[in-house]
Amino acid sequence: MDFRYVWIVWSGAFLLPWFVLWLLAPAVRSVMWRASLATMMFGLTEPLFVPEYWNPPSLLDLAQRTGFDIESLVFSFAIGGTGTVLYDVFTRRRMAPLPVRERERSRHRWHRAALSAPVLVFLALYGLPWNPIYPAVVALAAGAIATAFCRPDLARKTVVGGFIFLGYYAAFMLALVGFAPGYIESVWNLPQLISVRPLGIPLEELVFGFTFGMYWTSVYEHLAWRGLQHAGSARVPATSEAQPRRRAEEGRVRDFRPDR
């Protein structure tokens, strides 16, 4: 295969599972669409990584001439929507509004800071003398940790979602290794990266897959004040305000003794 078309074919391949999820999981379509549109904008950051991290031949040679390319928009669109819902589809969980009382907890005063953590960390670290992929993955990891701190109910989803997306992304990287031999060696700036490459995959790509999955799998719930419930649940569990009232009523029933 001509290396000029590998990037567009590979990025387009990520749309296939996106469409499968869209067709088979209608309950998550709205979330997928919003997440994909939001993530697509990150494709505009490609000039930060070309040619320091990699330098892929692209349609119309846009990446080489401008740093921007169409493929990055396609890639970001696809992984954003898929990465947001993979955990929910695999575990059969659905989103539910977070009770108002939970939103009022003191830790949520860091809500906006936690959501902004990846951008703030990346900007703070980007100027250091290292490859831009490293501040990117550190920023994603910081966002995931901030999410777990602010929303402990999403901590398990954050970690498990990271591993799910890592497996998903690693499969695409292995496909790239197998169907385009020599492409990674030709396109990635390997001398500037860690020399460890499991099965021919740059370690940085695997770390990116894991940290992206950790952060993006919970970002929608965090942003929209949503929680998780089992797919078979008919309603959101009772709020903390209702539970003491129910216990008090049960106590009055137990203490009642009719006159003899």
Side-chain angles (χ1 to χ4, degrees):
M1 180 184 293
D2 192 325
F3 282 176
R4 289 178 297 174
Y5 303 108
V6 171
W7 185 200
I8 187 61
V9 171
W10 191 64
S11 62
F14 281 91
L15 291 173
L16 298 179
W18 191 98
F19 280 117
V20 170
L21 288 172
W22 176 271
L23 292 173
L24 300 182
V28 299
R29 287 177 181 174
S30 176
V31 175
M32 284 184 66
W33 182 245
R34 295 176 185 178
S36 289
L37 289 178
T39 316
M40 184 172 67
M41 296 300 100
F42 287 100
L44 298 176
T45 64
E46 188 70 356
L48 300 177
F49 301 92
V50 175
E52 287 79 6
Y53 177 60
W54 73 334
N55 194 16
S58 61
L59 293 179
L60 306 177
D61 292 326
L62 288 177
Q64 285 71 37
R65 292 192 292 110
T66 68
F68 296 99
D69 56 40
I70 298 170
E71 295 89 340
S72 294
L73 299 176
V74 175
F75 171 79
S76 299
F77 177 92
I79 68 169
T82 304
T84 303
V85 302
L86 274 180
Y87 176 92
D88 300 334
V89 172
F90 284 163
T91 61
R92 301 191 52 150
R93 293 280 188 130
R94 291 182 179 174
M95 300 179 192
L98 205 65
V100 175
R101 189 175 184 85
E102 174 61 26
R103 298 188 195 186
E104 295 174 348
R105 291 183 180 273
S106 60
R107 62 172 171 265
H108 293 307
R109 67 181 181 273
W110 303 107
H111 178 75
R112 294 180 181 177
L115 288 170
S116 304
V119 175
L120 297 176
V121 171
F122 180 79
L123 292 176
L125 299 179
Y126 179 73
L128 297 179
W130 56 353
N131 196 281
I133 190 62
Y134 299 119
V137 296
V138 170
L140 289 169
I145 294 171
T147 295
F149 171 78
C150 190
R151 289 287 304 276
D153 59 304
L154 297 176
R156 182 178 184 275
K157 184 183 182 185
T158 297
V159 175
V160 176
F163 281 109
I164 291 175
F165 192 81
L166 169 61
Y168 172 80
Y169 191 67
F172 275 89
M173 289 299 303
L174 285 173
L176 181 64
V177 172
F179 288 101
Y183 184 77
I184 288 178
E185 291 76 8
S186 175
V187 170
W188 268 258
N189 189 5
L190 296 180
Q192 298 297 319
L193 305 179
I194 296 173
S195 60
V196 178
R197 291 192 286 276
L199 300 177
I201 304 172
L203 181 62
E204 290 80 0
E205 288 294 327
L206 298 177
V207 175
F208 166 78
F210 180 62
T211 55
F212 178 86
M214 282 203 306
Y215 179 67
W216 217 248
T217 194
S218 299
V219 70
Y220 182 82
E221 288 95 327
H222 197 184
L223 183 64
W225 294 102
R226 299 278 174 165
L228 295 174
Q229 63 178 138
H230 288 288
S233 300
R235 59 185 178 87
V236 181
T239 62
S240 55
E241 297 98 327
Q243 292 172 349
R245 187 183 310 116
R246 185 169 63 245
R247 287 195 293 267
E249 291 172 353
E250 292 171 352
R252 286 197 294 271
V253 172
R254 287 196 300 269
D255 293 340
F256 175 74
R257 294 290 184 274
D259 293 335
R260 296 180 181 226

